[in-house]
Amino acid sequence: MAAWTDISNIKQKIADSSAEEVTAAYIETIGKSKINGFTTVWDEAINTAREIDSNGHDGPLAGIPIAIKENISTKGLSTTCSSKILQGYVPPYDAHVIERLKEAGAVILGKTNMDEFAMGTSTESSCYGPTFNPWDMSRVPGGSSGGSAAVVAAGEAPISLGSDTGGSVRCPAAYCGVVGLKPTYGCISRYGLISYANSLEQIGPLATTVSDIATIMDVVAGYDSRDSTSINRENNYSDALKDDVKGMKIGVPEEYFGEGIDKDVEKSVWDAISKFEDMGATYEKVSMPHTKYALASYYIIAMSEASSNLARFDGTRYGLRAEGENWHVMASKTRAEGFGTEVKRRILLGTYALSAGYHDKYYLKALKVRTLVKQDFDKALANVDVLMAPTMPASAFKIGEKIEDPLSLYLADVNTVPINLAGVPSISVPCGFVDDMPVGLQIIGKQFDENTIIKAAYCFEQNTNHHTRRPREVA
Amino acid sequence: MVYENPDGVRIGLEVHVQLNKLNTKLFCGCSTKYHDSEPNTHVCPVCLGLPGSLPVINEKAVEYAMKIGLALNCSIVEQTQFHRKNYYYPDLPKGFQTTQYDFPIAGEGKIVIEGEDGERVIGITRAHMEEDPGRLQHMGSIDKSKGTLINYNRSGMTLIEIVSEPDMRSPKEARRYLDKLRSILDYLDVFDGDLEGAMRVDANVSVFMGERVEVKNISSFKGAERALLYEIMRQKNHIRRGGEITLETRHFDEARGVTLSMRTKETENDYRYFPEPDLVPLRVADRVPEILKTLPELPDAKRARFVKEYDIIDMHARALTTEIKVANFYEDVAAKVDPKAAAVWVADILKGELNYRDLNIDAFNVGDIAEIITLVTEEKITESSGVEIIRTILDNGGKPQDIVKEKGLLKVEDDIVAKAVEEAIAENPEAVADFHAGKEKSMNFLVGKVMQKTKGRADAREAREKLIAKLSE
Amino acid sequence: MITKEEVEHVGWLARIEIDEKESDAYAQKLNSVLDYFEQLDEVDTENVPPTYHVADIMNVFREDVVKPSMPQEDVLSNTENKQEGNFKAPRIM
Ligand SMILES: [Zn+2]
């Protein structure tokens, strides 16, 4: 019964039957899954649903099942970042977003697969094995929140949470044909999100409709005193759901259509922009000259921060512990065994980039380039309301295609990472298909102007039908 | 007299002060009152470094740090931020220590100590904030133990690291510097120095202007003096034997009183400092005027005021102002009795008796010492009786009045008897002559006279002794 | 160019054991990425300040008010390596 659907539809189903039945149906669907999107199904899910049925709940997500990425801490529920090093780790506390979801009545179905420590674009580097794209099982679902996007696309959960450090929500949303939002830095508390690159990442929602994205944002966004980078700012996201983009000014950055972009993807995006014109918006081409350097800047910063963030996994307090004649040897062996190859590469590169003699050449330089990239956004967004570009330069690639070549994998992030460097919000919405694989349109906004991009995405969705197509393989 | 510093000794100290008077740790709400608690009962996701936890700065800790900076005459930085100092050690639950790096909250400052040859200014390089690691307990010696037990109750406590210039020329000066620092910190009421680990010292030592050696793991002031004496001797001997001193870190073994080289692969580091992305910058210099207002009168100022206001000698003023508690005690006493006498009694006598018994000023009562001083200044008791009362109170308890009675210390009793003896002798020359002629009985007559004059308050045997003594003069 | 030896040194700094066989492969992959990073040298960043935080906020504090700590049982719940309320680890050196 569970399928590609949205919150309002499920609310109706709960009213017609019960939260318990709805949750049970999802759990049954997950049980038959072929895509390996879930890592754990929570055995408490059904009890939560039952409680909501018996006690009633008037929260905005009462009884609505939701899937949570493996890197968001859930009290009593394994949270491993899809890494061997965190096997067996059960957080004794809930992330801020989990507290908010629980208060809102959401039913946490379980945890979803990801690239190990969110370091990837394909969800292939997970210790649980790869997640498959529901549209084509031979292809990756994107990453790193591949599980969160795939389970929504496959109808195994109506909504989910992912995290986006350099495109990790938007990339899988685009590859799996769902909607995904990377909010402004500081919009959603990171408390409980296991850090990969703190200065870049945000938790973000995934869903089948823009409307659901707004509903989730109304629950999980907002100030949290436990996150020093959380911004105290009131906003109602659902207010943005208006079918009206008349007079909206769109900027189209040429650099996002550079070499390496698939011609058919490019065409889908331009078709989408034309659609906006039809709906009364105007567009102009803009230039963001430092885009080309964003990728290197992003990776240096992300790896540097990661090398320090991942230092705590030393076998002492939780997770894997290897044998060693002294503590330092134990830690080195634990980390050698517990981290996958890509994670180790990034830790080594980050350590190198921060080390004596290289700090200025790599780390400091990257932060200066970050300033220039951010200035590109400030300038471009001074004259337009939103920017539009392809989320990914091509549709989902084949499993195994890029795993051996880190650089080619990194290059896939070329259109998503600049947004994280600048800290601005961006939403990916389905805008077409290339060889039956979904294509994502990325709509980028000004800092804390989520409502404008949500409005644009909503309007596009209301006037197109890309989002109604479902994957054949798993439907 | 000018101190020559024949060995060219230069000592710089890094003192870690734990701000244990804060209610909570530096980045989380865990209580700082862990000292008598079970291991790992004062920890939360933040100070245990659990994945996903985030730090939030304790505002009061920043105020305390500024207070300390200002008390050490430091400049307060315009803008600062916390950095990560990356290195691996089991007491560090995040794999890095959150500390300050290029912009410490407090910059250059200075304090004045009593040096080898008079007052000496010791430069403060910087004072910065950082978090305390957890506590390790080696099951045996550090290199041969069966394992390490880790308690994170201390993890995340606020430390202020105060770094001095290498301005001290002897272990004695280093000790004086530490005492002065402790004194200032006590005045600021930011920490309880008696709690374990409240002040920890690392020292940099060089001789003959050579390379400096860092000595770590010094846990007490006495230990600091011993470690420095040993290390200076070691360096001198090494040079004398033709060796060369190279930059290194050594570990002080308190039990053996020696410093040991720690050069191993494990201690080799490249800290890879970078700004903590989970914390935002601090811009607090505008609070300086407000914090200056909360600064108490500090030891040097108090000492100067005591000399002026109470007209006491500088030596007494210094002794009375080292500890804020003693200074307050003295002022309370000085309000009741003659301040000069009070200075002598508190600084010279009471402090000595307290030190001898390893007690602090809390062990004595302002009213009691004031009463004792009054008894002495009114010549009702002798000075030595005063000392005896102090000792009795400290050893057995009791109140001055009771002790005076019990021990019959009132000088007045003596005087009355002595006066009666003199009168009896003067008024009865015949009896005196008889006594000199060997008539013992005449003594009984004289004692009877004394007893009459003192209305029986004198002790007969005492009266006899006094008469004999007088007549034998 | 990062050398094999540097890879091993960085591995030690990062406490990741790398044996000699692996260090060659790492050096090769790391160098291809470092080569890519070289392109930043083209960018003129003279007088450009670094961006550590995108959000322009400062002075975020917490009041000095005690919050409950975790029960010892929860603190030690994720490890088998414990003794008398402490975490237990191999000796340091
Ligand atoms: Zn804590």
Side-chain angles (χ1 to χ4, degrees):
Chain A
M1 164 215 104
W4 181 290
T5 189
D6 65 3
I7 292 173
S8 64
N9 196 351
I10 295 176
K11 282 194 171 162
Q12 190 55 51
K13 281 184 188 166
I14 293 171
D16 294 344
S17 57
S18 67
E20 184 181 348
E21 274 183 54
V22 167
T23 296
Y26 274 106
I27 291 172
E28 201 192 321
T29 308
I30 298 164
K32 295 183 204 146
S33 175
K34 290 179 274 181
I35 60 166
N36 194 33
F38 275 94
T39 54
T40 326
V41 174
W42 200 18
D43 47 18
E44 281 297 311
I46 206 79
N47 290 336
T48 313
R50 223 173 261 155
E51 263 172 47
I52 284 166
D53 286 331
S54 54
N55 302 338
H57 199 296
D58 57 4
L61 293 177
I64 309 294
I66 184 166
I68 307 293
K69 191 176 178 179
E70 265 290 331
N71 61 352
I72 298 173
S73 302
T74 41
K75 187 176 182 172
L77 177 58
S78 168
T79 302
T80 67
C81 293
S82 290
S83 177
K84 193 176 159 191
I85 208 160
L86 269 174
Q87 284 315 294
Y89 172 64
V90 178
Y93 76 105
D94 272 330
H96 175 78
V97 290
I98 301 300
E99 289 177 355
R100 289 263 179 121
L101 287 171
K102 285 180 174 174
E103 281 163 28
V107 175
I108 290 158
L109 276 178
K111 305 302 276 283
T112 56
N113 206 8
M114 59 188 277
D115 279 296
E116 185 183 3
F117 282 104
M119 296 177 180
T121 311
S122 65
T123 316
E124 292 170 281
S125 67
S126 163
C127 72
Y128 303 109
T131 293
F132 306 101
N133 192 314
W135 295 85
D136 176 351
M137 300 282 283
S138 71
R139 291 178 189 273
V140 301
S144 66
S145 313
S148 290
V151 298
V152 171
E156 294 174 17
I159 54 174
S160 65
L161 286 185
S163 67
D164 190 315
T165 310
S168 284
V169 163
R170 291 160 289 152
C171 158
Y175 281 4
C176 292
V178 299
V179 190
L181 171 71
K182 197 292 283 185
T184 305
Y185 188 80
C187 194
I188 299 180
S189 168
R190 292 182 293 114
Y191 191 78
L193 169 68
I194 301 182
S195 300
Y196 157 28
N198 341 38
S199 80
L200 299 162
E201 62 209 7
Q202 278 287 289
I203 289 170
L206 295 110
T208 59
T209 66
V210 176
S211 162
D212 284 1
I213 293 288
T215 305
I216 304 166
M217 284 300 285
D218 280 329
V219 171
V220 299
Y223 180 66
D224 174 19
S225 62
R226 292 169 299 184
D227 176 357
S228 303
T229 63
S230 165
I231 309 284
N232 199 348
R233 191 174 164 285
E234 288 297 313
N235 187 34
N236 185 300
Y237 297 87
S238 296
D239 285 350
L241 302 171
K242 294 194 186 89
D243 183 4
D244 177 18
V245 290
K246 275 187 207 70
M248 183 179 279
K249 285 202 224 159
I250 299 164
V252 182
E254 337 180 271
E255 291 81 1
Y256 286 66
F257 297 79
E259 65 174 301
I261 188 161
D262 182 287
K263 290 295 147 204
D264 295 324
V265 167
E266 188 172 354
K267 185 178 179 301
S268 294
V269 170
W270 277 111
D271 287 348
I273 294 165
S274 301
K275 184 76 200 172
F276 275 96
E277 278 193 294
D278 296 345
M279 297 186 294
T282 58
Y283 86 87
E284 61 186 87
K285 288 197 177 177
V286 297
S287 176
M288 302 178 76
H290 297 95
T291 304
K292 131 173 217 217
Y293 302 106
L295 200 70
S297 163
Y298 165 82
Y299 271 100
I300 292 169
I301 295 167
M303 289 169 177
S304 299
E305 290 180 7
S307 71
S308 172
N309 290 329
L310 271 59
R312 68 190 65 198
F313 306 108
D314 59 14
T316 306
R317 294 158 298 277
Y318 42 79
L320 186 75
R321 176 185 290 193
E323 293 291 317
E325 66 261 31
N326 68 40
W327 184 84
H328 294 274
V329 173
M330 179 279 284
S332 317
K333 286 185 188 290
T334 299
R335 293 164 63 78
E337 252 179 65
F339 291 134
T341 310
E342 179 59 19
V343 173
K344 285 193 258 189
R345 276 200 287 259
R346 294 197 191 189
I347 293 174
L348 293 173
L349 282 165
T351 304
Y352 185 68
L354 285 171
S355 66
Y358 298 101
H359 178 279
D360 289 7
K361 175 175 169 58
Y362 294 110
Y363 178 68
L364 190 62
K365 182 81 182 184
L367 289 165
K368 290 179 173 179
V369 172
R370 182 180 191 176
T371 305
L372 297 171
V373 171
K374 188 170 180 293
Q375 283 170 359
D376 278 358
F377 278 91
D378 293 342
K379 280 180 204 151
L381 286 162
N383 302 315
V384 298
D385 299 310
V386 296
L387 299 168
M388 288 190 192
T391 308
M392 301 302 287
S395 57
F397 51 88
K398 293 274 186 189
I399 288 174
E401 190 182 320
K402 299 187 176 181
I403 195 80
E404 283 308 311
D405 182 5
L407 196 57
S408 75
L409 204 59
Y410 301 171
L411 290 169
D413 300 340
V414 66
N415 280 4
T416 49
V417 298
I419 284 81
N420 299 75
L421 287 174
V424 295
S426 171
I427 191 166
S428 179
V429 286
C431 72
F433 289 83
V434 170
D435 297 332
D436 290 330
M437 291 306 291
V439 175
L441 165 71
Q442 177 170 221
I443 309 173
I444 304 153
K446 298 171 189 174
Q447 273 205 355
F448 291 106
D449 193 14
E450 271 76 2
N451 284 18
T452 300
I453 61 170
I454 288 173
K455 184 168 79 177
Y458 178 74
C459 191
F460 183 71
E461 187 183 78
Q462 293 299 304
N463 293 283
T464 56
N465 55 11
H466 309 293
H467 65 288
T468 58
R469 194 164 150 186
R470 283 126 214 235
R472 269 164 311 170
E473 301 241 3
V474 291
Chain B
M1 187 198 75
V2 174
Y3 179 66
E4 299 284 354
N5 193 12
D7 303 324
V9 172
R10 285 158 62 91
I11 299 169
L13 297 174
E14 289 173 17
V15 181
H16 289 86
V17 181
Q18 193 191 56
L19 302 188
N20 52 29
K21 281 206 176 166
L22 290 164
N23 295 323
T24 66
K25 296 184 180 181
L26 181 50
F27 299 122
C28 65
C30 287
S31 162
T32 55
K33 309 289 177 289
Y34 65 83
H35 293 82
D36 298 319
S37 307
E38 286 290 302
N40 295 305
T41 52
H42 284 55
V43 294
C44 70
V46 178
C47 57
L48 189 58
L50 286 185
S53 63
L54 297 171
V56 185
I57 302 169
N58 180 345
E59 184 160 22
K60 197 101 190 199
V62 175
E63 283 172 18
Y64 277 18
M66 291 174 72
K67 227 169 145 173
I68 291 170
L70 292 170
L72 302 178
N73 307 295
C74 296
S75 53
I76 299 298
V77 73
E78 268 305 311
Q79 182 172 323
T80 180
Q81 61 197 338
F82 282 93
H83 273 67
R84 292 184 179 185
K85 180 181 182 181
N86 295 285
Y87 67 99
Y88 287 84
Y89 217 65
D91 58 8
L92 219 51
K94 296 176 291 182
F96 57 83
Q97 183 189 29
T98 311
T99 179
Q100 292 181 319
Y101 181 52
D102 42 6
F103 294 99
I105 185 129
E108 278 177 43
K110 61 176 191 296
I111 61 175
V112 179
I113 65 162
E114 192 60 25
E116 294 280 358
D117 46 3
E119 284 200 339
R120 183 165 174 81
V121 175
I122 305 296
I124 304 289
T125 315
R126 59 185 281 166
H128 72 254
M129 306 177 69
E130 63 185 29
E131 58 180 341
D132 209 347
R135 205 177 147 76
L136 301 178
Q137 191 191 326
H138 308 291
M139 300 160 79
S141 70
I142 188 162
D143 50 346
K144 291 187 193 74
S145 76
K146 292 201 298 288
T148 310
L149 298 180
I150 317 163
N151 171 4
Y152 292 103
N153 281 346
R154 196 178 73 181
S155 166
M157 289 289 287
T158 305
L159 292 181
I160 303 295
E161 181 177 331
I162 301 164
V163 182
S164 85
E165 292 292 311
D167 288 345
M168 287 152 274
R169 301 165 297 176
S170 67
K172 188 166 121 192
E173 286 191 347
R175 176 66 194 263
R176 295 255 171 87
Y177 169 80
L178 290 171
D179 286 338
K180 187 62 175 275
L181 205 55
R182 162 88 195 245
S183 167
I184 293 170
L185 293 164
D186 270 337
Y187 269 60
L188 297 176
D189 198 26
V190 293
F191 94 131
D192 177 351
D194 293 332
L195 285 177
E196 194 209 350
M199 265 177 114
R200 281 163 267 158
V201 184
D202 295 340
N204 288 305
V205 199
S206 65
V207 297
F208 306 121
M209 301 296 156
E211 282 287 7
R212 67 195 161 83
V213 170
E214 191 177 9
V215 182
K216 286 187 175 282
N217 193 45
I218 302 171
S219 57
S220 67
F221 289 6
K222 217 178 264 173
E225 226 174 330
R226 281 175 63 215
L228 289 167
L229 281 167
Y230 175 86
E231 180 58 22
I232 290 164
M233 183 196 71
R234 188 194 68 82
Q235 290 188 21
K236 279 162 61 183
N237 287 342
H238 190 70
I239 291 166
R240 191 177 320 125
R241 283 189 227 105
E244 200 182 318
I245 301 297
T246 50
L247 207 66
E248 67 164 332
T249 299
R250 298 177 70 87
H251 187 92
F252 180 55
D253 184 328
E254 183 110 49
R256 292 194 283 165
V258 298
T259 66
L260 305 167
S261 182
M262 282 173 49
R263 216 169 305 183
T264 67
K265 196 180 177 194
E266 285 82 2
T267 55
E268 199 182 284
N269 272 314
D270 176 343
Y271 294 122
R272 291 163 282 130
Y273 284 97
F274 72 100
E276 167 58 274
D278 289 330
L279 292 171
V280 299
L282 301 181
R283 199 176 253 280
V284 287
D286 56 342
R287 298 189 187 181
V288 166
E290 180 193 322
I291 288 174
L292 275 174
K293 272 187 236 159
T294 70
L295 279 192
E297 182 184 39
L298 292 168
D300 290 344
K302 204 180 277 285
R303 178 176 140 202
R305 176 169 65 81
F306 278 16
V307 169
K308 207 164 156 241
E309 186 176 332
Y310 300 115
D311 193 20
I312 61 178
I313 58 171
D314 187 58
M315 190 188 76
H316 282 155
R318 184 200 303 277
L320 291 170
T321 53
T322 304
E323 285 176 71
I324 180 75
K325 278 183 188 171
V326 174
N328 291 339
F329 183 94
Y330 168 73
E331 291 210 85
D332 289 346
V333 178
K336 293 174 188 279
V337 301
D338 171 37
K340 278 187 182 173
V344 174
W345 279 89
V346 176
D348 290 346
I349 301 166
L350 180 58
K351 267 189 81 180
E353 295 297 331
L354 289 167
N355 283 347
Y356 178 71
R357 289 167 181 77
D358 223 3
L359 293 170
N360 68 38
I361 199 77
D362 296 334
F364 220 84
N365 186 302
V366 170
D368 289 350
I369 191 75
E371 199 177 327
I372 293 165
I373 297 168
T374 308
L375 286 169
V376 176
T377 49
E378 287 178 1
E379 296 192 347
K380 288 188 179 148
I381 60 172
T382 60
E383 252 182 57
S384 56
S385 297
V387 175
E388 196 183 337
I389 297 169
I390 291 174
R391 287 178 180 160
T392 308
I393 290 176
L394 287 173
D395 295 337
N396 309 316
K399 299 306 274 176
Q401 284 295 351
D402 300 334
I403 297 165
V404 164
K405 267 195 203 128
E406 269 166 42
K407 305 207 168 205
L409 299 175
L410 267 191
K411 229 181 186 173
V412 185
E413 303 282 334
D414 265 2
D415 287 354
I416 291 170
V417 177
K419 200 171 160 229
V421 166
E422 269 173 38
E423 280 173 12
I425 291 171
E427 289 164 12
N428 300 286
E430 281 168 42
V432 171
D434 286 350
F435 174 76
H436 284 307
K439 290 182 181 165
E440 297 266 334
K441 272 189 185 165
S442 62
M443 180 48 69
N444 292 342
F445 174 80
L446 288 169
V447 170
K449 287 287 170 205
V450 171
M451 296 311 281
Q452 247 174 21
K453 287 180 182 292
T454 60
K455 300 188 176 83
R457 271 164 67 194
D459 178 76
R461 190 185 304 161
E462 199 191 337
R464 177 182 297 269
E465 278 166 9
K466 284 200 152 90
L467 282 162
I468 292 170
K470 193 80 195 167
L471 292 170
S472 317
E473 271 172 9
Chain C
M1 269 288 284
I2 187 166
T3 62
K4 250 182 78 167
E5 288 70 34
E6 278 180 299
V7 168
E8 281 165 33
H9 172 67
V10 172
W12 174 251
L13 278 182
R15 293 299 184 275
I16 295 176
E17 190 179 70
I18 295 170
D19 63 38
E20 238 180 289
K21 274 175 280 163
E22 290 174 305
S23 58
D24 256 337
Y26 273 115
Q28 198 197 332
K29 292 258 159 78
L30 265 42
N31 276 319
S32 77
V33 178
L34 290 171
D35 282 348
Y36 182 77
F37 291 167
E38 291 292 316
Q39 60 169 290
L40 293 190
D41 292 348
E42 295 166 19
V43 190
D44 180 6
T45 51
E46 184 108 21
N47 303 319
V48 177
T51 295
Y52 293 105
H53 288 94
V54 281
D56 194 16
I57 51 170
M58 47 181 90
N59 293 353
V60 175
F61 295 118
R62 158 180 84 68
E63 275 182 64
D64 188 26
V65 176
V66 174
K67 297 244 171 78
S69 297
M70 296 197 291
Q72 192 192 57
E73 193 190 320
D74 285 3
V75 173
L76 297 165
S77 65
N78 275 295
T79 183
E80 296 295 311
N81 301 293
K82 49 194 160 189
Q83 185 176 318
E84 290 148 10
N86 294 287
F87 288 91
K88 195 178 167 191
R91 68 161 184 269
I92 310 289
M93 284 174 206

